[in-house]
Amino acid sequence: MSAPSSSSAEKKPVAIITIGMAGAGKSTFVQRMNSYLHSQNEYRPPYVLNLDPAVTHVPYEANIDIRDTINYQEVMKQYNLGPNGGILTALNLFTTKFDQVLDLVEKRAGEVDHVILDTPGQIEIFTWSASGSIITDAIASSLPAVVAYVIDTPRTVAPATFMSNMLYACSILYKTKLPFILVFNKTDVQPHDFALEWMTDFEAFQAALATHGGTLDSEGEPTYMNSLMNSMSLVLDEFYKNLKAVGVSSVTGDGMKEFFEAVEASREEYTKDYLPELERARKAKEESLRAAKQDSMNRLLKDLAIDRQNPDFVRQDTWDPAEEEDDDDDEEINIIDKSSDPYPGQYVDLTRSRRQEDEKVNWPRPG
Ligand SMILES: Nc1nc2c(ncn2[C@@H]2O[C@H](COP(=O)(O)OP(=O)(O)OP(=O)(O)O)[C@@H](O)[C@H]2O)c(=O)[nH]1
Ligand SMILES: [Mg+2]
């Protein structure tokens, strides 16, 4: 299955949000997607965003790069932060300008089939921060979106590591509610068939647990870890049903065709499941806003009705044609048209726009 080029003009591009543990191969995978899409006639080259402010070198040419906007070293110095706090603050600062990023992406939406996002190395910075949620929600409400959860296959051969990685993936799936693809990366080093087997055959996973030792304590009872993993694997069984899994090698390019087939299937899933839910949530929000407005209006009208019982108020509230010309003296409200502002993609150093040199603000740190 593939996106036929004839219909791709009418289709919105799919946003692929690349997430994964540090060193799983996210950036290399983004590079591989980029080169794969460049090499295929059926797809147009993608639009690529790098959201990792701390990376020194990315193996692809990003269309939008957080490093062009935020100087991560400067953020660390100014706010007296460590590396992770620095990355988080840099991402937060960038998120304040994300509307401009969305505008740029939307402008290019007719020319690309895929918008690819690379995220910071420390997974929790993106998945458990407000800015990560804002970016994900903003992208997913304007384009079909899918999460590509990159897994370092050679590092997940131990059942306990495999399970903790899957639990993490599970938490992201339930948080974003977006279509989800498990990308078992580095299959050139370690094929991913063991993972597929563990995901489909509960007993095979149990057997792997048993052979990895530490399953029984000195009295022959199952260890706490073992019991926990047994019950968790039952929870995960449900989770596995909701996702697609592909094996790829970002180095050799193996499995990319299958990955993009999964992306196309996810596009349909997004339209079928996510979009109606998004529209329902939007409608519910509009409805509650409308109800709140109506409630205030009712209260205002009620207050006015009470005031009208007061003859003084009625006298003051009567329209006097002699005062009519005063109306022209009302201050004019100017709606500012900012469309003539400089090109929104220009470099804006947010770390410097924080404060004046002479302000001497010393932000207290928590704790
Ligand atoms: N053998 C092999 N190595 C890979 C593959 N993909 C990535 N790597 C290697 O894994 C290491 C980490 O890759 P990155 O792409 O930097 O991983 P990342 O997830 O972006 O890393 P951070 O952003 O620092 O968390 C690099 O040495 C890559 O060369 C693969 O498919 N096969
Ligand atoms: Mg990276």
Side-chain angles (χ1 to χ4, degrees), residues 52-318:
D52 188 351
V55 68
T56 44
H57 166 76
V58 278
Y60 50 84
E61 189 74 38
N63 295 79
I64 297 179
D65 195 322
I66 186 172
R67 295 172 303 165
D68 294 339
T69 313
I70 314 282
N71 183 337
Y72 152 77
Q73 298 287 350
E74 207 44 48
V75 170
M76 272 174 63
K77 258 192 247 155
Q78 269 207 19
Y79 295 85
N80 196 18
L81 296 167
N84 289 328
I87 298 173
L88 181 60
T89 306
L91 194 65
N92 285 343
L93 288 168
F94 185 71
T95 306
T96 63
K97 296 279 166 189
F98 203 71
D99 55 328
Q100 293 186 12
V101 175
L102 266 188
D103 280 351
L104 289 170
V105 170
E106 276 167 6
K107 264 187 209 142
R108 294 288 301 276
E111 300 161 31
V112 297
D113 295 321
H114 302 90
V115 175
I116 300 175
L117 283 79
D118 189 9
T119 58
Q122 299 294 328
I123 188 168
E124 66 276 17
I125 288 177
F126 192 77
T127 51
W128 295 110
S129 66
S131 41
S133 305
I134 293 170
I135 291 175
T136 309
D137 291 350
I139 283 278
S141 53
S142 64
L143 297 176
V146 50
V147 172
Y149 185 81
V150 182
I151 299 161
D152 191 331
T153 315
R155 290 218 179 100
T156 48
V157 285
T161 326
F162 177 79
M163 175 152 292
S164 49
N165 215 332
M166 290 300 120
L167 284 172
Y168 208 102
C170 182
S171 71
I172 298 171
L173 171 76
Y174 290 123
K175 189 162 185 283
T176 62
K177 299 186 184 69
L178 285 171
F180 209 87
I181 305 173
L182 289 181
V183 181
F184 286 98
N185 190 28
K186 312 193 186 180
T187 50
D188 53 304
V189 179
Q190 168 69 54
H192 71 303
D193 18 348
F194 74 92
L196 295 183
E197 193 188 359
W198 288 353
M199 286 168 69
T200 47
D201 185 349
F202 178 71
E203 277 164 19
F205 184 71
Q206 298 284 311
L209 265 181
T211 54
H212 263 75
T215 49
L216 299 179
D217 63 17
S218 55
E219 281 149 32
E221 293 292 315
T223 58
Y224 171 72
M225 186 63 173
N226 192 244
S227 320
L228 178 72
M229 283 206 284
N230 272 335
S231 4
M232 282 303 178
S233 51
L234 286 173
V235 175
L236 284 174
D237 224 30
E238 192 54 37
F239 162 70
Y240 295 146
K241 287 183 197 142
N242 288 315
L243 40 86
K244 302 165 192 69
V246 292
V248 303
S249 165
S250 303
V251 168
T252 65
D254 248 21
M256 292 312 285
K257 185 171 177 293
E258 291 74 15
F259 172 75
F260 279 101
E261 284 171 2
V263 169
E264 279 307 308
S266 301
R267 175 206 287 279
E268 279 151 35
E269 200 182 307
Y270 170 92
T271 318
K272 194 164 64 71
D273 301 332
Y274 184 83
L275 207 54
E277 180 57 27
L278 185 75
E279 267 152 25
R280 195 197 55 73
R282 218 180 256 162
K283 271 208 189 98
K285 200 170 173 193
E286 273 168 19
E287 185 55 36
S288 74
L289 251 163
R290 203 193 54 74
K293 268 191 203 159
Q294 189 61 43
D295 183 48
S296 316
M297 185 54 88
N298 288 345
R299 275 186 288 132
L300 175 73
L301 291 174
K302 213 163 138 194
D303 285 355
L304 283 174
I306 292 169
D307 287 340
R308 293 216 154 268
Q309 290 163 11
N310 176 353
D312 281 348
F313 177 85
V314 174
R315 213 174 309 115
Q316 278 175 32
D317 198 38
T318 312

Side-chain angles (χ1 to χ4, degrees), residues 16-75:
I16 303 171
I17 306 171
T18 317
I19 295 176
M21 301 280 179
K26 297 177 291 295
S27 303
T28 318
F29 182 59
V30 167
Q31 182 273 330
R32 174 54 64 187
M33 285 192 271
N34 192 21
S35 68
Y36 179 81
L37 292 171
H38 271 89
S39 69
Q40 300 293 307
N41 288 335
E42 59 200 317
Y43 297 115
R44 291 172 291 181
Y47 196 70
V48 187
L49 276 72
N50 171 40
L51 300 180
D52 188 351
V55 68
T56 44
H57 166 76
V58 278
Y60 50 84
E61 189 74 38
N63 295 79
I64 297 179
D65 195 322
I66 186 172
R67 295 172 303 165
D68 294 339
T69 313
I70 314 282
N71 183 337
Y72 152 77
Q73 298 287 350
E74 207 44 48
V75 170

